Amino acid sequence: MRERTVAGFTLLEMLIVIVVFAMLATLSLPTMSRVYAHSRVNQAAVVVAHDLSQAASDAARSRKPIRIARGADLKSITVTDRQSGTLLQTVWLGDSYQLDSVVLSVSPVDLFPNGFTSNALTVTLWGRGYSRLVTMSRAGWVRAL
């Protein structure tokens, strides 16, 4: 007599595997959401640090003071020519990076052509309970903390 072997899985085995995967996905969802939120805030901090450095460079290159202020929507940063008030750049952070708020320690801050600023600046970026700081010293040095 020959034994008959059946290749494959039973319906019960497949259901058990699906249930285990569903439980693992459910347990890891909050962690993945938190990692995603942290990543967005960190990306926004890098963008803000770069844009502050770029604004200081633009002030030196154009030999005109530049003003940095928080936007009217409370989730953006505007860069304008201090003398004429011409808008040079708006950094939108709320929708792009899903931030809850952007807080500037002092607003507005003027960047002078010699590289110095009117005040030291700290930009706090908040998103889903996580925050990052970007600082600009009176000497124009920018750091993301």
Side-chain angles (χ1 to χ4, degrees), residues 18 20 22 25 50 54 60 73 88 91 95 109 124 130 140:
I18 290 172
V20 167
H50 176 266
Q54 185 67 38
D73 65 350
L88 301 174
V91 182
D95 294 334
V109 172
T124 307
Y130 179 69

Side-chain angles (χ1 to χ4, degrees), residues 20-100:
V20 167
F21 278 128
M23 288 174 57
L24 288 175
T26 303
L27 292 175
S28 67
L29 188 62
T31 302
M32 292 307 296
S33 176
R34 188 172 38 255
V35 167
Y36 181 70
H38 288 204
S39 172
R40 298 299 260 182
V41 173
N42 291 335
Q43 288 174 357
V46 170
V47 167
V48 168
H50 176 266
D51 289 341
L52 290 177
S53 296
Q54 185 67 38
S57 176
D58 290 346
R61 188 175 341 122
S62 67
R63 296 184 180 168
K64 294 181 186 177
I66 289 180
R67 179 165 282 173
I68 297 173
R70 186 167 59 170
D73 65 350
L74 306 180
K75 294 182 183 179
S76 64
I77 298 174
T78 60
V79 179
T80 57
D81 184 326
R82 187 181 84 163
Q83 293 171 344
S84 67
T86 305
L87 180 65
L88 301 174
Q89 180 182 13
T90 300
V91 182
W92 301 100
L93 299 167
D95 294 334
S96 321
Y97 297 98
Q98 299 174 351
L99 297 181
D100 298 330

Side-chain angles (χ1 to χ4, degrees), residues 90-142:
T90 300
V91 182
W92 301 100
L93 299 167
D95 294 334
S96 321
Y97 297 98
Q98 299 174 351
L99 297 181
D100 298 330
S101 69
V102 176
V103 179
L104 275 66
S105 61
V106 179
S107 184
V109 172
D110 295 329
L111 300 172
F112 300 109
N114 63 3
F116 288 97
T117 65
S118 60
N119 290 309
L121 174 66
T122 301
V123 179
T124 307
L125 307 168
W126 288 93
R128 296 185 186 171
Y130 179 69
S131 68
R132 283 290 303 266
L133 299 177
V134 178
T135 61
M136 180 178 231
S137 71
R138 295 263 329 225
W141 294 99
V142 179

